[in-house]
Amino acid sequence: MASSDQTKNDSAKMLQLPRYAQSLGITVSEYEDNLPILSIEFGSIIEGRPGAFHGGATSGLLENAGYAALRAVLETEGRDPQLKPINVTVQFLSTGKSKLTYAKGRITRLGRRNVNVSVEAWQDDRSRPIATAIMNILMVDRPK
Amino acid sequence: MVSPLPPFDPKVASNFLFKHGHVGWLGLEFVSHGENWVELKLPWREDLLGEEDRPILASGPIVSLMDMASGISIWTTMKTFTPVATLDLRVDYQRPARERSAVFGRAECYCITRSAAFVRGIAYDDDIDDPVAHIAGTFMTISKDPRRGKL
């Protein structure tokens, strides 16, 4: 669970988010149990219905948190494969309101070629996620 | 009850919807529609790349494209603009979109019940028979809340 004094980790700055994540305004907020927590400020470019997150923006945050968690874990194992999405299922649990939103992924099962990642996004109350995602990702070794 | 509004027109609504917010930022465009489907276009953009070392569109914008196409396909099928909430959306990726290519998203609302709408769709760049992704989504139709009595 979240501890009140999560430490900011220097490696948070090392983790390079993709162009899409940067364009959307996603940043690495902090690390918890060596896994990154991403956050995004509400703004017009993520708005769907007035004053609420667009489901696509929420999904973008979830997917990026999933990839960031996976990259963090792979790095500790000294692996740097290309990641290819197989599928993602996003469950929308409640409206994303116009406030700062967080997401964190955890690795459910890491194999040699496949990985299953689950992600949660929340706003004020971490025990009430606004959306969750399950992702299956293929890992391909880069040509030497 | 007589509705004072004309039937939902996806092309007219798109002009309005795509001016603002997230889908306005993505630059979505209306392409075409049928009785129960709609097709939208997501133009290529350099700043939507998903990887550092390959010029490949991130998967996030494809979710946005298909979520929006799904919503509009439901309104097109119902012939009315009624609030819907996405319950879940699944995307199966068949291959990456081609470099510098726009992605088209066609969503079809194949079933509407009293409180839910079911959508399936395809995202493609060049040829709809060679898709980038298939999607399936489930939506709640909020205005048809069964607790409000007989429908």
Side-chain angles (χ1 to χ4, degrees):
Chain A
M1 287 308 291
S3 67
S4 54
D5 54 345
Q6 291 147 343
T7 50
K8 288 228 173 193
N9 190 320
D10 282 344
S11 58
K13 292 184 181 65
M14 308 282 283
L15 183 76
Q16 182 81 15
L17 294 173
R19 287 276 292 279
Y20 163 69
Q22 294 175 26
S23 304
L24 208 55
I26 296 172
T27 56
V28 180
S29 168
E30 59 201 289
Y31 272 66
E32 180 187 71
D33 311 325
N34 298 317
L35 291 171
I37 296 179
L38 305 194
S39 65
I40 187 169
E41 294 275 2
F42 186 79
S44 64
I45 66 165
I46 54 173
E47 190 171 40
R49 271 181 287 136
F53 266 70
H54 191 278
T58 309
S59 305
L61 175 67
L62 286 163
E63 278 194 289
N64 275 290
Y67 282 112
L70 177 56
R71 282 283 176 216
V73 168
L74 289 172
E75 199 180 301
T76 64
E77 300 197 348
R79 298 169 64 183
D80 181 32
Q82 267 189 355
L83 304 182
K84 300 184 173 184
I86 299 170
N87 60 32
V88 57
T89 305
V90 183
Q91 315 268 348
F92 298 94
L93 307 174
S94 62
T95 302
K97 301 193 183 80
S98 55
K99 41 179 86 160
L100 185 63
T101 304
Y102 301 93
K104 182 186 176 187
R106 50 177 72 77
I107 311 307
T108 319
R109 200 259 168 185
L110 178 64
R112 197 175 57 81
R113 295 182 63 231
N114 272 307
V115 59
N116 183 284
V117 183
S118 60
V119 197
E120 286 192 1
W122 68 95
Q123 295 186 317
D124 302 320
D125 183 354
R126 193 163 181 180
S127 67
R128 299 185 60 189
I130 60 159
T132 64
I134 303 285
M135 304 165 68
N136 284 293
I137 301 165
L138 183 68
M139 297 174 291
V140 182
D141 289 331
R142 293 174 197 275
K144 295 263 159 62
Chain B
M1 220 165 65
V2 179
S3 166
L5 296 168
F8 178 82
D9 182 329
K11 189 175 182 185
V12 172
S14 295
N15 279 336
F16 170 74
L17 289 166
F18 299 166
K19 279 201 179 103
H20 313 279
H22 183 62
V23 291
W25 174 71
L26 285 173
L28 293 195
E29 297 167 21
F30 174 84
V31 177
S32 57
H33 78 95
E35 284 286 305
N36 70 340
W37 61 266
V38 63
E39 184 166 318
L40 308 179
K41 176 184 175 185
L42 170 70
W44 167 262
R45 262 177 52 179
E46 204 75 52
D47 61 343
L48 298 181
L49 296 184
E51 293 186 46
E52 287 310 303
D53 48 353
R54 291 196 300 170
I56 287 171
L57 179 72
S59 45
I62 294 178
V63 179
S64 300
L65 167 73
M66 299 313 294
D67 185 54
M68 196 71 237
S70 297
I72 298 176
S73 79
I74 293 167
W75 299 321
T76 302
T77 306
M78 296 175 81
K79 298 183 169 54
T80 175
F81 185 77
T82 179
V84 295
T86 313
L87 281 186
D88 67 25
L89 189 67
R90 175 192 171 108
V91 185
D92 290 302
Y93 297 101
Q94 272 77 55
R95 61 172 179 83
R98 289 188 181 87
E99 186 180 345
R100 313 207 154 271
S101 180
V103 175
F104 298 87
R106 184 180 293 205
E108 174 197 25
C109 177
Y110 63 91
C111 176
I112 293 183
T113 69
R114 277 198 303 180
S115 46
F118 302 91
V119 174
R120 59 189 165 214
I122 287 175
Y124 69 97
D125 43 17
D126 220 24
D127 175 3
I128 198 165
D129 294 322
D130 179 23
V132 167
H134 282 76
I135 67 109
T138 313
F139 297 75
M140 290 289 290
T141 48
I142 294 169
S143 70
K144 287 192 174 180
D145 188 336
R147 289 171 301 185
R148 287 184 194 152
K150 197 164 68 109
L151 287 164

